[in-house]
Amino acid sequence: MPAESEMRIESIADIPLYNGDVEAAQGVPDVVTRLKDAIAGADGLLLVTPEYNNSMPGVAKNAVDWLSRPAADIPRVFGGKPVAICGASPGGFGTIMSQNAWLPVFRTLRAELWSGGRLLVSRAGTVVGEDGEIRDETTRENIRAFITGFVAHTGLRAAQRATAAR
Ligand SMILES: Cc1cc2nc3c(=O)[nH]c(=O)nc-3n(C[C@H](O)[C@H](O)[C@H](O)COP(=O)(O)O)c2cc1C
């Protein structure tokens, strides 16, 4: 990460299947509320997506569907939020179909999709080691450039919000 920026990695592992009846009876699960608050408090959202059957994984879409509930809370969580989408796959196309599949989702949520860079990591099995270390120098540089560009953009937007609030 660039200096004076911080990345917080959150998990969707404990998010249940979306069920409107459960929401009506019990409201939004605590695990979802915590993740919503984390996104609302962040300057930007970096979505790192796998690709399943040439689209986004259903479990990831399910998580975002929960995060969009109740709908009245969407502006607080996603409205104008800078969102960057990237991903890695074992094949040669680096999640391009999955990344494209996410676009209408975040447009619907009125997020601000950052398109200042693209990060498609192909052959992830060879460029990333077992320990998660990035072994390939070109891949490392591509990730660095993507993150640096997105962080600069989120900083710009945060400064603009601060000026507007004065
Ligand atoms: C059901 C399923 C479908 C997949 N379909 C694709 C695909 O269409 N394109 C692709 O590049 N990789 C595909 N993969 C490989 C995933 O991209 C790979 O599993 C992922 O990068 C690793 O993330 P995961 O451990 O969260 O599954 C698929 C994997 C699974 C399990």
Side-chain angles (χ1 to χ4, degrees):
M1 293 297 289
E4 292 173 37
S5 65
E6 183 196 352
M7 186 191 297
R8 234 172 95 178
I9 300 175
E10 299 285 351
S11 171
I12 61 169
D14 295 327
I15 296 181
L17 286 178
Y18 178 75
N19 183 322
D21 295 334
V22 170
E23 184 190 0
Q26 300 166 23
V28 173
D30 288 347
V31 63
V32 173
T33 301
R34 278 198 297 276
L35 194 49
K36 283 172 61 178
D37 291 346
I39 295 170
D43 288 334
L45 172 64
L46 176 67
L47 181 82
V48 186
T49 183
E51 178 171 304
Y52 286 1
N53 296 313
N54 285 172
S55 190
M56 79 274 275
V59 288
K61 175 64 161 49
N62 176 73
V64 173
D65 291 340
W66 260 124
L67 294 168
S68 70
R69 302 299 299 167
D73 218 11
I74 292 174
R76 179 182 75 90
V77 178
F78 292 106
K81 178 73 58 185
V83 173
I85 303 170
C86 62
S89 72
F93 300 100
T95 68
I96 190 162
M97 300 283 280
S98 175
Q99 292 189 29
N100 283 349
W102 280 109
L103 300 179
V105 176
F106 287 103
R107 187 181 59 186
T108 300
L109 298 175
R110 309 288 197 274
E112 187 210 14
L113 284 156
W114 179 70
S115 54
R118 296 213 307 170
L119 183 58
L120 305 144
V121 179
S122 309
R123 316 275 171 227
T126 57
V127 299
V128 183
E130 286 293 323
D131 53 1
E133 188 65 20
I134 299 149
R135 289 183 182 150
D136 178 65
E137 202 44 53
T138 305
T139 303
R140 184 187 293 276
E141 174 54 27
N142 289 345
I143 294 171
R144 194 200 59 74
F146 183 83
I147 298 288
T148 302
F150 183 53
V151 167
H153 176 77
T154 60
L156 186 70
R157 284 285 181 265
Q160 286 171 340
R161 280 195 304 277
T163 305
R166 261 192 239 131

